[in-house]
Amino acid sequence: MAILQTNFAEALGYVKDRTGIAALLLAAAYVLTIVYVGKLSSKIEVKCTSWRSAVGIVIFLALNIVLMIRTGDNFVTSIFKETRNYQANYEEYMKQKESRNQYLADIMLANDTGKPGIYILVIGESQNPTRMSAYGYKLNTTPWLNSMKSDDNMLLFQHAYACQVQTVPALTYALTAKNQYNSLDLKKAVSLIDVAKAAGYQTVWLSNQVRFGSWGTPVTVIAEEADEKIWTNSHQGNTLDTEYYDGELINRLQNIKRSDKMLIVMHLMGNHISYHSCYPAEFEKFKKEGKRSEYDNSILYNDHVMELLLNMVSAWKDFKGLVYFSDHGEAVNYGKSHNPDTFIFDMAYIPMYIYLTPDYRKENPEIFRNLHAARDNYFTNDLIFNTVLGIMGIQNDYFYEPENDLTSVKYNSDLNRFMTLYGKKHVSEDVIK
Ligand SMILES: [Zn+2]
């Protein structure tokens, strides 16, 4: 899926990250052997000199067919079958765009206007909280977030997990009404951008990630719906390079035309592999552990970017709140990245925090109280959709689920229900071990 839903350069980077020279040589040797055997086989002559050899050949061929059918469902073919299913689902999601918008137009009520103000949703990338000092890591990788822990307006969540461990599938659920706990059909799931627009918000999508290629993804479809789209990465389509570090998003944000009712989504490059390309040289503070230190440096830079961002928007008179979460984690502690085939829980651990302004708290004391009490609750990031709607006050029964909204007293915090990997793993397995 990662290879299909991206451009050639990123796909090449993905393969390089997962294979060494030895594996590539082995693969090349394998392909050459197949070609060689294929050539040899064209020279084979079959001679039927008796009825016995004819029967023997028929039995041999029949057995081969039986073997092919009986072993057709295996771990190699399942990769292709599952990918084809995912892809079909996603293509359907794109095709159904018009009907989702019509549906929204039909069900949005006159009072579904949400709370006024500017709300910001920041999506981090491949961030593992076990490498963040605010979550107890030994090195001081998040000095700003550490200091914000004592700020009454900041809420740091301790048990957040990703619903999937790759960007596109994780964000597809995080940004739409679809989640692991409902039986909604993905193609009918309205997105946060769609809903905010229907409720009268001005919507902005800012991204420092490579714009996806011709395959397209639900995330691209959702982003393209925004009133204003800013992609800092003009290299889209053909390269892995980001011309800018994430800090550039803040410069761009400064220049957008603001109104008093907005939803701004920011998609960071965050802590994606290759880690060293995610931060400028002055953030090269940690050096002892090779790639892991590079990862720590990228966390240090992310902390700095978030500090700049919150300082800037706090000066805006209509700013009400900011939600930060990562799409998934990164198994950097185990020398792995993030890949469903080699899943370990480090790939699903994510940081999450919510900042609400004193104004917002004054106007919505109950929401703040509920969130404050929920800081130790379990949470998976496919519930971001409902939680952001809870903060913005858009609660239409057709798509909003209070049991999945952290701001609601009805939030279902029962550990046993929480899952990751699109329902293939129970979070309780991680807690109990
Ligand atoms: Zn990701």
Side-chain angles (χ1 to χ4, degrees):
M1 278 304 287
I3 287 172
L4 283 179
Q5 297 194 323
T6 182
N7 54 59
F8 178 72
E10 206 180 35
L12 198 67
Y14 182 87
V15 172
K16 274 188 194 156
D17 282 337
R18 282 159 184 77
T19 50
I21 282 289
L24 284 177
L25 287 177
L26 204 63
Y30 178 75
V31 170
L32 286 176
T33 308
I34 297 273
V35 170
Y36 180 66
V37 171
K39 284 217 155 163
L40 273 188
S41 68
S42 68
K43 291 182 189 150
I44 294 174
E45 280 179 40
V46 183
K47 287 181 188 155
C48 272
T49 50
S50 68
W51 67 270
R52 274 192 202 158
S53 60
V55 168
I57 287 166
V58 169
I59 292 174
F60 176 76
L61 289 176
L63 277 177
N64 269 284
I65 289 166
V66 170
L67 261 179
M68 269 171 68
I69 293 167
R70 293 298 292 268
T71 62
D73 227 358
N74 58 55
F75 74 100
V76 178
T77 56
S78 74
I79 295 173
F80 293 96
K81 282 180 184 163
E82 280 183 23
T83 306
R84 199 177 52 199
N85 286 346
Y86 270 135
Q87 196 63 33
N89 235 336
Y90 287 160
E91 274 162 20
E92 200 55 35
Y93 184 80
M94 279 170 255
K95 278 189 217 146
Q96 298 284 328
K97 194 171 90 174
E98 296 303 318
S99 73
R100 281 195 302 273
N101 283 339
Q102 187 52 51
Y103 167 75
L104 257 184
D106 292 343
I107 59 168
M108 284 302 265
L109 306 169
N111 59 359
D112 275 339
T113 52
K115 302 174 195 298
I118 300 178
Y119 300 86
I120 302 179
L121 177 65
V122 185
I123 307 167
E125 171 63 64
S126 308
Q127 194 166 30
N128 183 335
T130 70
R131 309 290 291 196
M132 299 169 74
S133 47
Y135 281 93
Y137 181 47
K138 61 182 194 283
L139 300 178
N140 191 12
T141 51
T142 58
W144 169 75
L145 196 55
N146 285 358
S147 70
M148 288 303 289
K149 279 166 80 175
S150 55
D151 186 318
D152 287 342
N153 308 312
M154 177 64 94
L155 301 163
L156 190 69
F157 293 83
Q158 298 297 331
H159 299 297
Y161 289 75
C163 63
Q164 245 299 3
V165 298
Q166 283 178 323
T167 309
V168 172
L171 294 186
T172 299
Y173 279 21
L175 300 173
T176 67
K178 176 67 192 155
N179 59 51
Q180 297 174 102
Y181 316 104
N182 64 26
S183 53
L184 189 66
D185 195 349
L186 173 64
K187 59 181 183 271
K188 291 189 178 137
V190 292
S191 80
L192 209 46
I193 296 279
D194 293 333
V195 172
K197 274 175 79 171
Y201 289 81
Q202 181 195 342
T203 52
V204 180
W205 184 280
L206 282 127
S207 174
N208 196 29
Q209 294 227 351
V210 181
R211 203 170 189 166
F212 290 99
S214 54
W215 281 92
T217 73
V219 180
T220 315
V221 178
I222 295 165
E224 293 292 344
E225 287 290 290
D227 298 311
E228 193 174 348
K229 292 147 289 233
I230 298 168
W231 305 80
T232 48
N233 202 331
S234 71
H235 282 168
Q236 44 163 309
N238 288 316
T239 176
L240 250 185
D241 294 345
T242 32
E243 296 158 284
Y244 298 104
Y245 299 113
D246 283 338
E248 175 64 12
L249 290 177
I250 294 167
N251 299 334
R252 303 290 177 100
L253 184 60
Q254 201 162 20
N255 297 326
I256 60 167
K257 201 165 165 287
R258 293 200 299 276
S259 69
D260 57 4
K261 200 176 172 195
M262 293 179 83
L263 173 66
I264 299 169
V265 180
M266 297 175 74
H267 194 187
L268 309 183
M269 193 48 106
N271 315 97
H272 200 274
I273 219 161
S274 308
Y275 315 133
H276 62 82
S277 58
C278 290
Y279 57 88
E282 61 264 38
F283 285 83
E284 185 136 352
K285 183 177 163 192
F286 307 104
K287 292 175 184 153
K288 284 187 185 154
E289 281 189 282
K291 271 194 175 182
R292 291 178 198 189
S293 293
E294 290 174 7
Y295 187 77
D296 291 344
N297 292 329
S298 72
I299 300 250
L300 183 68
Y301 179 63
N302 171 266
D303 188 66
H304 170 70
V305 168
M306 291 308 296
E307 178 180 13
L308 290 180
L309 174 67
L310 193 62
N311 285 346
M312 184 176 89
V313 298
S314 291
W316 297 353
K317 82 171 168 37
D318 296 307
F319 171 61
K320 298 287 177 172
L322 178 147
V323 176
Y324 178 94
F325 76 104
S326 182
D327 62 344
H328 49 76
E330 181 86 339
V332 63
N333 294 322
Y334 299 88
K336 291 181 178 178
S337 180
H338 51 274
N339 181 349
D341 299 333
T342 55
F343 177 83
I344 52 174
F345 272 101
D346 270 62
M347 298 175 189
Y349 297 153
I350 54 164
M352 180 166 93
Y353 50 85
I354 297 177
Y355 179 91
L356 296 171
T357 63
D359 274 358
Y360 182 92
R361 285 180 58 186
K362 217 178 288 163
E363 291 153 15
N364 308 281
E366 197 189 328
I367 290 180
F368 187 83
R369 210 168 38 238
N370 292 344
L371 280 173
H372 192 271
R375 286 171 302 159
D376 287 322
N377 281 349
Y378 285 86
F379 180 83
T380 51
N381 64 3
D382 45 344
L383 308 186
I384 282 286
F385 175 83
N386 282 289
T387 301
V388 171
L389 290 186
I391 291 171
M392 292 167 73
I394 311 172
Q395 285 140 337
N396 188 309
D397 290 343
Y398 285 96
F399 51 77
Y400 168 76
E401 301 160 336
E403 71 276 18
N404 290 327
D405 169 12
L406 267 183
T407 75
S408 167
V409 273
K410 293 183 186 149
Y411 183 71
N412 180 354
S413 60
D414 177 11
L415 166 63
N416 291 317
R417 83 179 181 115
F418 289 100
M419 292 184 285
T420 180
L421 270 190
Y422 272 11
K424 284 188 189 151
K425 279 258 175 229
H426 281 272
V427 166
S428 58
E429 288 175 46
D430 179 50
V431 181
I432 289 157
K433 82 175 180 217

